[in-house]
Amino acid sequence: MTEVEILTCLRHKNLVSLYGCTSRQSRELLLVYEYIPNGTLASHLRSHSTKPTLLAWPTRIKIAIETASALAYLHASGIIHRDVKTNNILLDNNLCVKAADFGLSRLFPEDISHVSTAPQGRPGYLDPKYHFCFRLTNNSDVYSFGVVLIELISSLPVVDMGRNNCEITLGSLAVRKIQRNEFEELVDPCLGIEKDSELKRKVTAMGELAFQCLQIKSEMRPSIDEVLDILREIEREKKDSKDAKEDNDNGGSGISKNKAGIDAAQPMMASITLNQATFFKSSSSPNNVTEKWTSESTNPNLSV
């Protein structure tokens, strides 16, 4: 009933469409959705699908952007998904995202800051504040999406009992690797960042964004709208740099404007211009995320 109530009033290109349901007189109550032929993002990242697809970086960041777009639409509609995970991110024949499974979703009135409710969701994706304090907010989805970003970067499982106790969940593993300046160890080797400095900057930029999403205090995380804006900036950084170079080559001022009115000759994000060491360690990193995380948590297992 929750899914019917939510999906009948929503229309977005990155949300799975609900076609209808069986009647009360049927032997079984079933929901009928559009068929999404390419399986889940999880199956592609870990090659469990019948026709696994090598997900190159442009495809991965496109998936991240389309998933964030779907979540931004939900949040603007007063809905918290509450079960954001790669198993609920479906891919069509063109590897476009269709977010699915709204059985745990909650309507979220505009005039409240949080909903007090028993935690539900898959281990490894669950917002620590929601898990321990029973406080569900829009930024609970942001935390889960931060884990999805790390999955897109690493292709690693979200929960692995074979890892060290402090690194069983992917969120915990990512935080520890980033704080130790070992981010590159997380990156899926098939992306080939060691051969492409441009790609390395973009993957590292997504890593910092994921790190901000994974902060313990929900109010320290960006909103999903901010996450979406940053992902779009990361995706188009090369194009803007190319446009600026062409303008210089043509004798122009070397400054072009993108649609947002930002100087394309200037860095789109501070993180893109920083090397990995300063990215996660320097006090100049946006919001001082490393310092804030360390000061707020001494227990890396909180990311369960």
Side-chain angles (χ1 to χ4, degrees):
M1 291 302 296
T2 299
E3 295 198 52
V4 170
E5 181 182 4
I6 288 174
L7 287 175
T8 51
C9 62
L10 297 178
R11 289 291 182 273
H12 189 277
K13 65 179 181 179
N14 298 124
L15 294 179
V16 68
S17 295
L18 175 66
Y19 288 159
C21 60
T22 55
S23 70
R24 292 180 181 273
Q25 286 72 40
S26 303
R27 282 186 68 181
E28 293 183 275
L29 292 176
L30 302 174
L31 300 180
V32 182
Y33 289 98
E34 65 174 314
Y35 176 62
I36 311 299
N38 233 333
T40 68
L41 174 58
S43 68
H44 287 276
L45 287 173
R46 287 177 277 286
S47 300
H48 295 156
S49 61
T50 54
K51 293 192 252 182
T53 306
L54 180 61
L55 298 181
W57 170 254
T59 301
R60 296 190 191 212
I61 193 165
K62 181 177 80 75
I63 289 171
I65 288 171
E66 290 179 355
T67 304
S69 178
L71 291 174
Y73 174 76
L74 289 175
H75 289 188
S77 303
I79 296 166
I80 302 176
H81 188 284
R82 204 159 58 144
D83 199 16
V84 178
K85 58 187 180 186
T86 50
N87 277 311
N88 286 339
I89 299 172
L90 307 182
L91 301 175
D92 67 12
N93 279 326
N94 297 316
L95 297 180
C96 293
V97 164
K98 294 286 186 176
D101 196 346
F102 297 86
L104 296 181
S105 298
R106 286 291 300 266
L107 296 171
F108 196 80
E110 293 183 5
D111 57 345
I112 63 175
S113 62
H114 69 277
V115 173
S116 295
T117 180
Q120 294 191 59
R122 183 171 176 176
Y125 292 97
L126 200 57
D127 172 9
K129 190 165 186 177
Y130 177 34
H131 179 69
F132 291 110
C133 303
F134 290 37
R135 294 169 66 92
L136 177 68
T137 70
N138 282 336
N139 276 1
S140 298
D141 279 350
V142 172
Y143 182 91
S144 303
F145 184 68
V147 178
V148 170
L149 290 180
I150 295 296
E151 283 186 88
L152 285 166
I153 289 168
S154 68
S155 301
L156 294 174
V158 172
V159 176
D160 185 348
M161 301 304 293
R163 295 195 289 248
N164 293 335
N165 287 341
C166 297
E167 300 175 348
I168 288 175
T169 64
L170 187 57
S172 296
L173 174 65
V175 168
R176 288 171 68 85
K177 289 291 186 184
I178 289 169
Q179 289 179 331
R180 293 176 179 179
N181 198 27
E182 298 169 351
F183 172 73
E184 289 184 31
E185 295 180 12
L186 282 173
V187 180
D188 189 337
C190 81
L191 291 178
I193 65 169
E194 69 282 353
K195 301 176 184 177
D196 187 335
S197 60
E198 175 86 27
L199 175 59
K200 182 177 179 179
R201 286 196 301 272
K202 291 189 173 189
V203 173
T204 307
M206 184 187 280
E208 181 179 68
L209 177 60
F211 189 59
Q212 294 182 32
C213 293
L214 292 172
Q215 294 193 57
I216 296 296
K217 278 194 170 183
S218 60
E219 60 269 22
M220 292 168 62
R221 301 172 200 151
S223 69
I224 196 64
D225 287 329
E226 292 169 328
V227 170
L228 179 58
D229 287 343
I230 293 171
L231 286 170
R232 285 171 172 163
E233 297 290 2
I234 295 171
E235 183 188 42
R236 68 173 174 248
E237 187 255 351
K238 182 175 181 180
K239 179 180 183 301
D240 289 335
S241 298
K242 180 180 177 182
D243 290 345
K245 182 179 184 301
E246 288 176 352
D247 191 50
N248 273 325
D249 293 342
N250 292 332
S253 64
I255 298 177
S256 60
K257 299 284 186 177
N258 60 24
K259 291 181 180 179
I262 300 172
D263 289 348
Q266 299 301 320
M268 299 308 296
M269 292 177 59
S271 56
I272 291 177
T273 67
L274 302 176
N275 62 38
Q276 183 183 329
T278 58
F279 205 126
F280 298 112
K281 296 294 185 181
S282 170
S283 60
S284 65
S285 182
N287 298 325
N288 298 330
V289 290
T290 303
E291 179 182 346
K292 287 185 178 181
W293 182 286
T294 304
S295 66
E296 295 298 335
S297 171
T298 57
N299 183 359
N301 273 328
L302 288 178
S303 299
V304 295

